[in-house]
Amino acid sequence: MDKNSGLVFVYNADRGFFNLMADISHKMLFPNTYPCNLCALTHGSFSMRKEWREFLTKIKPPLTFMHRDEFRKEFKLEDDLPAIYIQDLRTEELKPFIVAATLKTLTGLEDLKHMISDKLTLEGLL
């Protein structure tokens, strides 16, 4: 990854008010079956976790956040979600950074932060 790269975080949830309300309810009532571990790790019931927001300010590459419907419409990919991608900002090409199967194994926000930090450090971007 170089200065022409960014990270794209893709949630396994669709955008929109009614989808948001359904997601909040699902996350609160049935957290074990909530389909977006990225959302569960980085957001509380109603907003982004402060610790996550502060972590994001330390990441050098540009960050993009997308919902499933936006991502599939723009990139025409049916990858398992949630996922995090590296995007070449010149060509817009995406490459997996942290795939859904890996995100599903994480049990806390610290795990996610460490994984992102380690991968970015290897790339010389943190």
Side-chain angles (χ1 to χ4, degrees), residues 1 9-10 13 15 30 37 39 46 52-53 55-56 58 67 83 86 93 108 111 120 126:
M1 191 166 14
F9 295 79
V10 185
R15 67 183 165 193
F30 306 103
N37 200 37
C39 297
F46 302 105
W52 176 242
R53 187 178 307 111
F55 173 77
L56 293 175
K58 298 173 187 167
H67 291 91
I86 295 173
E93 178 185 353
D111 292 343
L120 288 175
L126 190 61

Side-chain angles (χ1 to χ4, degrees), residues 5-125:
S5 297
L7 291 180
V8 179
F9 295 79
V10 185
Y11 299 108
N12 191 24
D14 291 335
R15 67 183 165 193
F17 178 76
F18 293 108
N19 291 319
L20 175 63
M21 293 298 108
D23 283 344
I24 289 171
S25 299
H26 192 167
K27 190 187 308 184
M28 290 174 68
L29 298 172
F30 306 103
N32 293 335
T33 63
Y34 187 65
C36 185
N37 200 37
L38 182 59
C39 297
L41 294 172
T42 62
H43 288 70
S45 296
F46 302 105
S47 64
M48 184 182 288
R49 296 182 194 283
K50 180 182 177 193
E51 182 181 355
W52 176 242
R53 187 178 307 111
E54 290 171 357
F55 173 77
L56 293 175
T57 65
K58 298 173 187 167
I59 296 178
K60 292 179 187 176
L63 307 175
T64 302
F65 298 88
M66 300 182 87
H67 291 91
R68 175 181 51 217
D69 56 330
E70 299 167 297
F71 173 76
R72 291 192 170 146
K73 182 178 179 183
E74 184 169 335
F75 293 102
K76 311 291 190 256
L77 295 173
E78 292 293 326
D79 294 3
D80 285 341
L81 299 174
I84 304 171
Y85 296 88
I86 295 173
Q87 183 178 32
D88 183 316
L89 299 175
R90 296 165 295 199
T91 65
E92 296 190 10
E93 178 185 353
L94 294 179
K95 294 178 186 171
F97 185 68
I98 303 176
V99 298
T102 301
L103 284 172
K104 289 175 186 172
T105 67
L106 302 178
T107 58
L109 182 56
E110 285 302 312
D111 292 343
L112 176 61
K113 289 169 36 181
H114 286 300
M115 183 172 286
I116 291 171
S117 294
D118 291 348
K119 287 176 141 308
L120 288 175
T121 298
L122 285 174
E123 300 288 341
L125 291 171

